[in-house]
Amino acid sequence: MKAVILAGGFGTRISEETHLKPKPMIGIGGKPILWHIMKTYSHYGINDFVICLGYKGYLIKEYFFNYSKHSSDITVDLSDDSLQVHNNYAESWKVTLVDTGEDVMTGGRLRRVSPYIKDESAFCLTYGDGVSDVNIGELIKFHQQHGKLATLTAITPLERFGVLDLADDHRIQAFREKPKENKVYINGGFFVLSPQVLNYIDGDDISFEKQPLEKLTAENNLYSFKHNGFWQCMDTLRDKNYLEELWDTRQAPWKVWS
């Protein structure tokens, strides 16, 4: 099975980083968040990727073109411009990098990579800016069992602000995370889709999250895979620092690989 990753947005809410690089190339522990997402899929045996490029997509191309050099020790002989790679390490990945345009919506990007996925029985799709410990194997199994066209991972995000327990006299009794009573689920990405879903996208200006998903819902063709574990997107610098802290303290829940 292939995994399609949407990696073309501008990332304006984290412009401190994205004025230099596309958001999927923002680092966590010295590796792009895109790498972390791909490592998650690879852990479940998915090693064939189609990446939808847009804003500064050439930097993502350069990263993968030089991946072995980034991951290995090298000796450069400047006298003859030769290169020797030591302890060559490479992932067992096949990566197709497709320029899907800078101003194209998510549905349009998916439509533009249709030649690479139209013959699949099903494929995965996610965003290039979010990590999770979702069990991809169970997600795919669930999709296959219900037999409909589309599955999305439904998540309950943590609130950005904690809750104060206050006494009647206004004393603060405790700090705690906002509870998840009366859970509200949102779209967490990590889709599994039939190629027939491509027929629901009419052009470049279609947001996949709007008309296609709404039509699939109306036809009872969209199911949710509920995930109550870790999920975090990287929308802001605060999000990036939070993910860095988890990684640096060896508490990153999304690191399911060894």
Side-chain angles (χ1 to χ4, degrees), residues 155-161 177-178 180 230-232 242:
I155 59 99
T156 53
L158 287 174
E159 296 293 338
R160 288 185 176 274
F161 303 101
E177 289 184 347
K178 189 170 182 179
K180 287 187 176 180
F230 179 84
W231 178 93
Q232 179 65 52
Y242 172 59

Side-chain angles (χ1 to χ4, degrees), residues 93-241:
W93 297 344
K94 179 181 178 182
V95 185
T96 301
L97 300 154
V98 184
D99 184 358
T100 56
E102 285 204 0
D103 300 310
V104 179
M105 300 296 286
T106 50
R109 294 190 190 282
L110 182 56
R111 181 172 175 263
R112 287 193 176 198
V113 301
S114 60
Y116 305 99
I117 52 178
K118 65 182 180 180
D119 296 326
E120 301 293 310
S121 58
F123 63 94
C124 294
L125 169 71
T126 199
Y127 305 102
D129 62 357
V131 288
S132 176
D133 60 356
V134 60
N135 188 314
I136 303 296
E138 290 299 317
L139 167 63
I140 293 171
K141 181 179 178 181
F142 174 76
H143 176 80
Q144 293 169 336
Q145 287 175 338
H146 67 64
K148 299 296 184 178
L149 296 185
T151 303
L152 67 75
T153 297
I155 59 99
T156 53
L158 287 174
E159 296 293 338
R160 288 185 176 274
F161 303 101
V163 174
L164 301 178
D165 285 335
L166 303 179
D168 291 339
D169 62 358
H170 303 286
R171 286 181 297 107
I172 296 175
Q173 295 178 310
F175 289 85
R176 59 188 174 87
E177 289 184 347
K178 189 170 182 179
K180 287 187 176 180
E181 290 91 357
N182 301 317
K183 288 182 180 178
V184 175
Y185 285 93
I186 67 170
N187 171 15
F190 294 96
F191 300 87
V192 183
L193 305 172
S194 163
Q196 291 172 258
V197 168
L198 298 169
N199 298 327
Y200 291 70
I201 305 169
D202 295 329
D204 287 347
D205 60 344
I206 299 297
S207 171
F208 181 66
E209 298 76 18
K210 298 295 291 181
Q211 298 98 316
L213 290 189
E214 290 169 356
K215 187 174 181 182
L216 287 164
T217 300
E219 295 176 353
N220 296 316
N221 260 317
L222 178 62
Y223 274 59
S224 66
F225 179 78
K226 291 182 179 180
H227 174 61
N228 295 312
F230 179 84
W231 178 93
Q232 179 65 52
C233 63
M234 186 192 285
D235 276 340
T236 65
L237 189 59
R238 173 182 176 156
D239 297 332
K240 186 251 199 264
N241 292 338

Side-chain angles (χ1 to χ4, degrees), residues 47-70:
N47 295 301
D48 196 342
F49 299 95
V50 179
I51 302 181
C52 304
L53 305 178
Y55 174 69
K56 293 187 182 294
Y58 64 91
L59 292 174
I60 299 177
K61 285 185 177 181
E62 288 178 359
Y63 176 75
F64 286 106
F65 186 78
N66 295 300
Y67 187 87
S68 63
K69 300 179 183 67
H70 288 301

